[in-house]
Amino acid sequence: MLNKTHAKHVKLNHSKHIMISGKYNTSRLDSFWTTIKRAIVGQYHQVSPEHLQSYLDEIAFKFNNKGKNLFSLLITKIVKQRR
């Protein structure tokens, strides 16, 4: 099934501590999962299934814009929407 949407599917076996195979690795995905866990335990404490997608959207936005001035980015998006 993946061969219809992806040119190549590479399996990395974490149980055998294989995290990298050539140019393929799971470090960014592992980092994202760690960020999710840290946010839920340290910031939100509880996440209801009803609002889970909103929490994940916020975490993904912060993760994808790491190192940027998020306040300026937010203001810029608000101004562009109002035009």
Side-chain angles (χ1 to χ4, degrees):
M1 177 142 221
L2 282 175
N3 62 348
K4 293 180 181 179
T5 57
H6 295 79
K8 183 178 182 178
H9 178 71
V10 176
K11 293 181 183 180
L12 302 176
N13 191 337
H14 277 208
S15 64
K16 294 183 179 178
H17 303 288
I18 299 172
M19 313 300 187
I20 298 172
S21 177
K23 67 178 181 177
Y24 304 99
N25 71 68
T26 60
S27 64
R28 187 149 168 90
L29 179 62
D30 290 341
S31 177
F32 183 64
W33 280 117
T34 300
T35 302
I36 291 171
K37 289 185 230 175
R38 199 173 330 123
I40 291 171
V41 171
Q43 185 176 357
Y44 304 120
H45 306 293
Q46 277 188 319
V47 176
S48 68
E50 179 184 2
H51 300 290
L52 179 60
Q53 188 62 57
S54 295
Y55 287 115
L56 294 176
D57 290 343
E58 178 186 349
I59 294 165
F61 176 80
K62 289 177 180 177
F63 187 83
N64 291 330
N65 291 287
K66 201 180 305 184
K68 296 179 185 175
N69 183 335
L70 295 182
F71 183 74
S72 294
L73 186 61
L74 177 64
I75 297 300
T76 302
K77 287 186 179 279
I78 289 171
V79 170
K80 283 183 180 179
Q81 279 185 344
R82 294 193 174 238
R83 289 184 184 170

